[in-house]
Amino acid sequence: MAKFRGPALFRCWCMPMPLNHKSKRPNALLPWLVGAVPVLLGLVITYWQAERALVNDGELIGSETVEQVERILDNVSGAAEELLPLAGTPCADAQLALRDQVARRPYVRSTIIADQGRLYCSSLFGDFSERLNAADYVDGRVSLISGNSVTPGRAVLLYRTHRDDSQHHDQSAIAALDGTHLINTLRTLGRNNDLILQVGPSWLSADGQVQEQALPEFDMAPVTVQSTRYPISVHTGFAAGSAWQLMASRYPALLALLLFLGVLAGLICRWLLKRAHSPPAELQRALLASEFVPYFQPVVRSTDKQWIGAEILMRWQHPREGLVRPDLFIPLAEDCGKIVPMTRSLMRQTAALLGPQADRLSEQFHLAFNISAAHCQDLALLDDCRELLAAFPIGRIKLVLELTERELIQPSDITQRLFAELNEIGVMIALDDFGTGHSSHSYLQAFKIDCLKIDQSFVAMIGVEALSRHILDNVIDLCHKLQLQIVAEGVETPEQGEYLAAQNVDYLQGYLYAKPMPGADFVAQLPRH
Ligand code: C2E
Ligand code: CA
Ligand code: CA
């Protein structure tokens, strides 16, 4: 016979926990995982949204900066355009006009004109001569330099306009813009991010430095906005962690909601898991999975040791715990109201197993079921008994219901009717564990008890010592006086069997004759008896 399992299950019943302690780990983790899902998903979506927002911010700021720089350049280029017709005229004639542009235009710091590729007249110095290198100007128009002889180390942007035709040979007008205006623009518009103004190979950052090395890389949301009117572009981007900062500042309510949803999802998951693994739910699952199966323990006649019947004992064939003893789950099944359908299932399985084998059973073969008090509270038990009896030819079996003396039934109109009708259809009532409880003579009569099952604790007294045996003798004597059939349970040794037979105990049950066995084994052994 399969080995009983128990302690792990028992622990579980004591603390309403999942049945299998091995499964506790994933179950404990699951609520955390479920709680983390909305939080993580929400964070990913919010982060993605924050990144998009940064890109949008970057594009907006980049465009605004380009527009602002274009406005400044419009002003500067206007000066150069107005001065170009003066290129080629003597410096003395042009100088006033050069200075006039500086005075009237807010962004123009100085102006210069050039003829035949040579700079020859400046608003600052008047006459001078210097070669004009057109290649220094991006697109021939704009040049960003880190400083000049007047203000070394201070950025200057030069705007050049140029004409070269049959009448005018390589003439230019140049207006210089003080880099401070550009730096102020980069600083004002780039409060939350870095802005860089690029002109050809040179670039200017908000710290006022003009550099020519490779552009620095932005950690997040890099954006480049190109001017359509001037050969300049603006680069912007954000430092690492900007998306998290944006999330915290822009969506605090959303983050709190995510956290709340995560906690809620975790708690709901935990509650569902607990409910799914609660003892009642586990019993219900096992019932639907037909895991409660009947084991059969023969009862023998004391005179010739022939099988005159069997007690049907419930076993739980648990998928992980193996075969579970009834005392580990019957009390709980009684507490949570599952014992009635479980007993019904046992009766149906017994009918299905033994019904077809009815002709191999001796006449009036006793089939004894253990019945809990809860099953006696309405007349449903009557239908269950009728259903079982209907599976056998009339008179072939004797249905016995064992009521334990440990749990006495409260008499009521219903129980009176129930036991009267059970008696009518020929069902025998046995008082189980006799001697351990407090049944009275009136109780035995009220429930029409036909048979007493002497508890195995009394049988175990045989051969121990004289005083104990006297107690047993008294119990047997009481049984005889009540004139009821007697079954002795838990007979383990030949000495116990012989003693009980000598005391005229009618029927014996115990490991000495047979242990409880699965239905197939029981059926297989039937013909021999
Ligand atoms: P019980 O009704 O007193 O059943 C007799 C118990 O004694 C059985 O234990 C049986 O296996 C065991 N037994 C039989 N012969 C011997 C023996 O020689 N030596 C010893 N040491 N034990 C022996 P089991 O099957 O573990 O059942 C325990 C109890 O669980 C039962 O005690 C009964 O109260 C309850 N039970 C079992 N099946 C059902 C059921 O279908 N419904 C209800 N309500 N209770 C049940
Ligand atoms: Ca019993
Ligand atoms: Ca018993």
Side-chain angles (χ1 to χ4, degrees):
M1 197 179 77
K3 276 234 158 84
F4 285 134
R5 298 284 302 278
L9 189 88
F10 189 69
R11 265 204 310 278
C12 298
W13 294 137
C14 296
M15 309 165 273
M17 287 273 187
L19 264 171
N20 188 352
H21 54 285
K22 283 176 224 150
S23 65
K24 255 165 41 184
R25 193 172 289 252
N27 282 352
L29 219 67
L30 199 59
W32 290 101
L33 290 177
V34 169
V37 167
V39 176
L40 288 179
L41 211 68
L43 280 182
V44 167
I45 293 171
T46 321
Y47 187 87
W48 175 76
Q49 231 177 2
E51 254 189 334
R52 299 254 343 125
L54 286 181
V55 171
N56 285 345
D57 283 0
E59 281 170 354
L60 198 73
I61 293 166
S63 305
E64 275 180 30
T65 313
V66 165
E67 274 175 37
Q68 183 74 23
V69 174
E70 279 175 349
R71 268 196 295 275
I72 295 171
L73 281 178
D74 285 348
N75 190 272
V76 179
S77 65
E81 297 292 350
E82 274 189 36
L83 293 177
L84 186 61
L86 297 179
T89 57
C91 188
D93 299 342
Q95 201 173 9
L96 199 63
L98 293 184
R99 287 185 182 153
D100 178 60
Q101 288 298 327
V102 173
R104 278 196 296 113
R105 300 206 179 245
Y107 299 112
V108 180
R109 197 181 79 180
S110 62
T111 47
I112 308 167
I113 46 177
D115 187 29
Q116 299 188 22
R118 285 204 81 80
L119 301 164
Y120 72 95
C121 184
S122 124
S123 60
L124 267 178
F125 307 115
D127 263 324
F128 79 111
S129 179
E130 196 178 309
R131 203 175 71 81
L132 169 70
N133 191 0
D136 290 345
Y137 292 80
V138 179
D139 208 13
R141 296 162 73 200
V142 186
S143 173
L144 180 65
I145 53 175
S146 57
N148 59 12
S149 55
V150 184
T151 51
R154 194 151 115 203
V156 176
L157 191 135
L158 302 172
Y159 185 86
R160 166 180 177 252
T161 131
H162 172 243
R163 62 181 177 183
D164 192 9
D165 50 41
S166 51
Q167 290 166 12
H168 314 96
H169 182 59
D170 197 7
Q171 293 179 334
S172 301
I174 295 165
L177 162 72
D178 192 323
T180 311
H181 298 297
L182 298 174
I183 294 162
N184 284 344
T185 302
L186 297 181
R187 280 185 190 157
T188 316
L189 294 176
R191 268 192 309 270
N192 301 322
N193 54 339
D194 292 333
L195 280 171
I196 284 174
L197 175 70
Q198 187 184 9
V199 180
S202 313
W203 51 269
L204 173 70
S205 53
D207 62 5
Q209 297 299 310
V210 173
Q211 301 187 58
E212 290 216 348
Q213 322 88 306
L215 273 168
E217 278 188 14
F218 294 104
D219 294 322
M220 288 205 71
V223 169
T224 298
V225 183
Q226 193 93 40
S227 165
T228 49
R229 296 197 286 124
Y230 298 100
I232 58 158
S233 52
V234 168
H235 303 273
T236 179
F238 295 82
S242 300
W244 294 111
Q245 278 170 12
L246 187 81
M247 278 162 71
S249 64
R250 213 176 271 187
Y251 318 116
L254 189 69
L255 293 180
L257 185 71
L258 281 179
L259 202 68
F260 172 74
L261 285 178
V263 172
L264 193 71
L267 287 177
I268 289 176
C269 173
R270 209 172 77 123
W271 176 73
L272 285 175
L273 275 178
K274 262 196 169 178
R275 210 180 60 158
H277 289 279
S278 68
E282 186 61 9
L283 288 176
Q284 180 63 25
R285 184 202 59 75
L287 190 62
L288 291 175
S290 303
E291 288 174 11
F292 300 111
V293 294
Y295 265 53
F296 297 81
Q297 187 179 31
V299 176
V300 303
R301 199 183 293 119
S302 59
T303 47
D304 56 5
K305 311 295 183 297
Q306 290 298 301
W307 289 14
I308 58 91
E311 179 175 0
I312 288 102
L313 295 157
M314 197 181 291
R315 296 287 179 267
W316 184 354
Q317 222 139 33
H318 196 277
R320 293 185 303 256
E321 297 290 332
L323 204 60
V324 182
R325 291 200 328 250
D327 49 344
L328 294 180
F329 63 88
I330 295 279
L332 202 97
E334 286 174 339
D335 280 354
C336 61
K338 292 279 178 242
I339 189 67
V340 174
M342 283 161 66
T343 308
R344 189 169 293 142
S345 156
L346 213 61
M347 291 172 101
R348 285 181 181 161
Q349 290 181 62
T350 304
L353 181 82
L354 294 184
Q357 311 288 336
D359 52 348
R360 287 160 70 188
L361 301 172
S362 57
E363 204 65 22
Q364 295 279 302
F365 193 82
H366 287 47
L367 288 182
F369 290 88
N370 294 284
I371 300 296
S372 299
H375 214 151
C376 305
Q377 259 144 34
D378 55 34
L379 299 179
L381 179 59
L382 207 57
D383 294 332
D384 296 333
C385 293
R386 283 202 185 103
E387 192 183 323
L388 181 105
L389 288 169
F392 298 90
I394 295 169
R396 177 53 51 94
I397 62 154
K398 188 83 188 163
L399 175 55
V400 183
L401 301 184
E402 297 189 4
L403 310 174
T404 174
E405 202 190 39
R406 292 178 214 272
E407 189 194 31
L408 294 178
I409 298 166
Q410 293 303 317
S412 68
D413 289 350
I414 294 277
T415 55
Q416 290 296 328
R417 214 181 121 195
L418 174 70
F419 284 92
E421 293 202 29
L422 285 172
N423 189 41
E424 241 169 64
I425 61 170
V427 173
M428 262 176 79
I429 307 295
L431 193 61
D432 207 354
D433 311 322
F434 184 64
T436 61
H438 301 96
S439 64
S440 62
H441 192 245
S442 60
Y443 184 86
L444 300 179
Q445 278 182 335
F447 292 101
K448 299 192 181 350
I449 306 290
D450 306 288
C451 172
L452 298 173
K453 292 192 79 172
I454 298 175
D455 190 67
Q456 43 187 272
S457 58
F458 295 104
V459 175
M461 291 171 177
I462 299 169
V464 177
E465 32 119 3
L467 182 66
S468 299
R469 212 189 53 233
H470 283 314
I471 299 172
L472 170 71
D473 290 348
N474 278 336
V475 173
I476 296 171
D477 193 38
L478 181 62
C479 293
H480 285 312
K481 280 190 181 135
L482 290 168
Q483 293 187 324
L484 299 172
Q485 288 182 23
I486 311 173
V487 181
E489 290 185 310
V491 183
E492 290 183 349
T493 65
E495 187 194 354
Q496 290 170 346
E498 281 157 25
Y499 186 84
L500 291 162
Q503 296 294 313
N504 292 327
V505 172
D506 310 298
Y507 307 113
L508 304 173
Q509 181 184 349
Y511 294 169
L512 178 64
Y513 310 106
K515 284 192 170 183
M517 60 187 93
D521 295 1
F522 180 69
V523 169
Q525 292 187 41
L526 272 177
R528 281 195 267 134
H529 300 273

